[in-house]
Amino acid sequence: KVVCVTGASGFIASWIVKFLLQRGYTVRATVRYPSNLKKVDHLVKLEGAKERLQLFKADLLEEGSFDSVVEGCHGVFHTASPVRFVVNDPQAELLDPAVKGTLNVLKSCAKSPSVKRVVLTSSISAVAFNRRPKTPQVVVDETWFSDPDVCRELELWYTLSKTLAEDAAWKFVNENSIDMISINPTMVAGPLLQPEINESVEPILNLINGKPFPNKSFGWVDVKDVANAHILAYEIASASGRYCLVERVIHYSELATILRGLYPTLQIPDKCEVDEPYIPTYQISTEKAKKDLGIEFTPLEVSLRETVESFREKKIVN
Ligand code: NDP
């Protein structure tokens, strides 16, 4: 079968492409800069790539950019979206590419009768940020939706971009009878296939470089589990709706404690950036992902070790 992966050079997408090739699919991979070796070299070297990987140039902000790629595909994995937590111009840098880009890809899918299912890489950002309190007893699940007003008030622009993009996507697919599933991962850790560091593993690099940690509690999940969940959501006919993915929600202080246990000789900080009570953790339900997709989550300790080992292999750290 022929499938398309948008934003194929990214951290999560590279693993999706690798697993799809391993499973015998023909993969049409979209990238913004096909001539930039840093973006494509790791993809063309994947097992099966010579025979079954085709690279296409496409940009989220170019109307019709995905038409010819999507045409003839059975499945579309839409992962491309800017991941940046600090921006100057949220509209141009995050909101437009996320929302207009998602609609752009979905419009191409609507034009192509070959497309039977779309898997959208959304985020827990589109789930958990609303006015409902989050305490250790609270369980966030797929019925939650983030509130754009809360994102705007707190200036959580990336969170807003993912919330608006997923909301626009559901509206569009419902109006156009497209079968879509959204994958809503928490912060993703694990080994990098791409040569350069991405945003979600940067906090781990900061910790092993000895920087004081932020006062935040986040969920974490392994990149290989996230990639697998995308493929299973596409392959399992009965899968539907949204899937939250998390191994556990922890405060950065606990993440530092795990890293200290794994790497006793490194100077992992035990100091928070601010002198305040720690933000509490909460729970995120994995029932649906386990039941429908059969996902078993890799222990966070393993993901963290593999993240740091991959930093070393790629000479991001010594
Ligand atoms: P990366 O930054 O590694 O990948 C993002 C991808 O989006 C890149 O391939 C990038 O292309 C592409 N992209 C950005 N802007 C454009 C554009 N204008 N046109 C075309 N492509 C564009 O991040 P991740 O792999 O972490 O993220 C992938 C997806 O997963 C995103 O949708 C993200 O929101 C979501 N996600 C990520 C989580 C995480 O913790 N990592 C958690 C939850 C969801 P280029 O390489 O050319 O810049």
Side-chain angles (χ1 to χ4, degrees), residues 7-13 32-33 39 58-61 79-83 97 121-123 158 162 185-188 198 200:
S9 53
F11 174 47
I12 297 172
R32 268 194 290 185
Y33 312 108
K39 296 286 180 188
D59 196 300
L60 290 171
L61 292 168
T79 86
S81 205
V83 185
T121 316
S122 185
S123 168
Y158 168 75
K162 297 302 284 181
T186 48
M187 290 279 277
V188 183
N198 59 287
S200 67

Side-chain angles (χ1 to χ4, degrees), residues 105-163:
V105 172
L106 290 175
K107 278 180 199 160
S108 304
C109 296
K111 284 186 220 163
S112 174
S114 65
V115 175
K116 299 299 174 214
R117 182 168 277 182
V118 177
V119 181
L120 170 74
T121 316
S122 185
S123 168
I124 202 72
S125 299
V127 179
F129 295 84
N130 51 37
R131 294 195 203 279
R132 292 166 80 166
K134 292 212 285 293
T135 62
Q137 290 74 39
V138 168
V139 184
V140 173
D141 66 18
E142 286 83 359
T143 62
W144 286 46
F145 220 100
S146 294
D147 179 345
D149 291 339
V150 171
C151 304
R152 284 190 194 96
E153 270 165 36
L154 301 174
E155 301 193 351
L156 299 172
W157 304 120
Y158 168 75
T159 307
L160 179 63
S161 77
K162 297 302 284 181
T163 304

Side-chain angles (χ1 to χ4, degrees), residues 42-67:
H42 66 283
L43 294 177
V44 299
K45 286 187 175 143
L46 290 172
E47 208 186 309
K50 249 194 212 105
E51 301 79 25
R52 285 176 285 108
L53 179 72
Q54 301 155 3
L55 293 178
F56 289 78
K57 182 177 168 61
D59 196 300
L60 290 171
L61 292 168
E62 244 172 68
E63 192 80 18
S65 199
F66 295 85
D67 281 0

